[in-house]
């Protein structure tokens, strides 16, 4: 039976997606570099190992949900191996195996150096990454464009915003409910003629830093918003003297350069 290859399956979002897919009867081959805390069925593999990715992709895969890699800022070698080499190996293995669709977990940090007075930021606005992590996600998006234009691999790149429970008014403007995100991933898997698309993984929040243009063909709209949480209040003013509020990327934009030592 054809199955979806889910990378990053042991992480918080990967764990949510495993449960979401299981509830809907979708066959999944889950993989990660570490075992999951819930002891679910996850095959251990390093995405920086091209042979390991090729073996995964050969197991009757119909599409890929690529959520694997480093999910925050790190030193160059770590980001290179986990996010850049790993993304290349996934797309290249898909090409060789004839897998025609990838849903790619990108990040709003590809545009994290926009000042808050330039918000809301749109999908079509230029890359302004706030970190090596953001650069790696911009690489993945650009790589996906190459593999679509040259090899016909359709892709939905999702610029995921704050998918945990927001702790500040700033985060409430960036909140992405995990069910909203899972529904967007599922739409990327099931939409006929997906082509190459990019969307923000963000819920319906007031004063949002990022906005999606209407896309009736995609047929997805968030069903949740941060006002349903009560607190923190997304309408609250942000302290202009707080360095986290200078740029949309928050602390990522304020951190210095990381190294692997």
């Amino acid at each position: 039976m054809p199955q979806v290859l889910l990378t990053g399956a042991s992480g918080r979002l990967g764990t949510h997606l495993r449960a979401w897919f299981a509830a809907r009867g979708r066959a999944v081959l889950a993989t990660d570099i570490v075992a999951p805390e819930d002891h679910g069925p996850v095959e251990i593999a390093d995405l920086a190992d091209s042979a390991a990715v090729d073996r995964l992709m050969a197991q009757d895969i119909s599409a890929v949900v690529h959520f694997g890699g480093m999910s925050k800022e790190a030193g160059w070698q770590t980001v290179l191996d986990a996010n850049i080499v790993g993304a290349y190996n996934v797309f290249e293995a898909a090409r060789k195996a004839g897998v025609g669709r990838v849903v790619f977990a990108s990040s709003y940090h590809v545009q994290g150096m926009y000042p808050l007075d330039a918000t809301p930021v749109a999908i079509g606005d230029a890359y302004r990454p706030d970190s090596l992590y953001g650069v790696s996600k911009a690489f993945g998006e650009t790589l996906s464009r190459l593999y679509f234009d040259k090899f016909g691999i359709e892709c939905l790149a999702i610029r995921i915003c704050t998918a945990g429970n927001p702790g500040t008014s700033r985060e409430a403007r960036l909140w992405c409910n995990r069910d909203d995100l899972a529904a967007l991933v599922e739409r990327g898997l099931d939409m006929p003629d997906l082509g190459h698309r990019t969307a923000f993984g963000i819920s319906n929040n007031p004063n949002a830093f990022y906005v999606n243009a209407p896309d009736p063909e995609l047929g997805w709209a968030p069903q949740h918003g941060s006002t349903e949480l009560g607190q923190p209040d997304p309408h609250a003013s942000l302290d202009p003297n707080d360095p986290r509020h200078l740029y949309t990327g928050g602390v990522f934009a304020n951190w210095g350069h990381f190294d692997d030592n």
Side-chain angles (χ1 to χ4, degrees):
M1 179 178 179
Q3 54 190 341
V4 171
L5 176 61
L6 171 63
T7 72
S10 296
R12 288 177 297 176
L13 297 183
T15 298
H16 189 84
L17 286 172
R18 280 192 286 118
W20 177 276
F21 291 149
R24 287 153 181 80
R26 190 183 293 270
V28 172
L29 173 60
T31 184
D32 205 305
I33 198 170
V34 296
E37 292 183 0
D38 65 2
H39 306 293
V42 173
E43 187 165 334
I44 305 302
D46 184 351
L47 299 182
D49 179 350
S50 61
V53 181
D54 287 344
R55 287 192 294 271
L56 291 167
M57 205 71 68
Q59 298 185 48
D60 199 12
I61 300 302
S62 60
V64 182
V65 177
H66 179 36
F67 272 54
M70 177 59 64
S71 61
K72 58 186 178 182
E73 181 67 326
W76 169 243
Q77 193 62 51
T78 298
V79 171
L80 175 65
D81 292 341
N83 290 11
I84 293 180
V85 175
Y88 172 77
N89 286 341
V90 166
F91 277 94
E92 180 61 5
R95 181 192 69 81
K96 291 187 290 187
V99 176
R101 184 168 295 198
V102 176
V103 177
F104 172 63
S106 186
S107 169
Y108 75 96
H109 290 289
V110 301
Q111 294 171 308
M113 288 303 293
Y114 277 91
L116 260 59
D117 60 10
T119 59
V121 180
I123 283 290
D125 291 338
Y127 289 135
R128 293 184 66 175
D130 54 26
S131 52
L132 294 175
Y133 168 74
V135 168
S136 75
K137 292 301 184 179
F139 170 84
E141 288 189 12
T142 305
L143 185 73
S144 73
R145 183 80 232 190
L146 169 69
Y147 274 78
F148 173 66
D149 287 339
K150 202 165 190 178
F151 306 115
I153 297 177
E154 295 182 295
C155 183
L156 173 63
I158 304 175
R159 293 179 184 167
I160 302 172
C161 294
T162 301
N165 291 327
T168 66
S169 295
R170 178 189 179 281
E171 291 172 351
R173 301 179 187 197
L174 286 164
W175 186 52
C176 181
N177 174 276
R178 291 180 184 177
D179 283 348
D180 280 342
L181 178 60
L184 179 55
V185 169
E186 193 161 56
R187 189 58 183 154
L189 291 173
D190 295 338
M191 177 187 173
D193 302 319
L194 174 66
H196 188 277
R197 277 178 159 79
T198 307
F200 289 116
I202 192 167
S203 292
N204 186 21
N205 310 318
N207 300 317
F209 292 165
Y210 299 94
V211 293
N212 283 308
D215 188 352
E217 290 184 355
L218 180 60
W220 171 85
Q223 301 301 302
H224 299 271
S226 55
T227 53
E228 72 189 45
L229 302 174
Q231 291 293 329
D233 182 4
H235 295 281
S237 298
L238 303 179
D239 180 0
N241 297 313
D242 187 330
R244 294 174 298 175
H245 301 156
L246 296 177
Y247 300 98
T248 56
V251 294
F252 278 59
N254 299 126
W255 282 331
H257 202 62
F258 284 34
D259 60 45
D260 289 296
N261 299 318

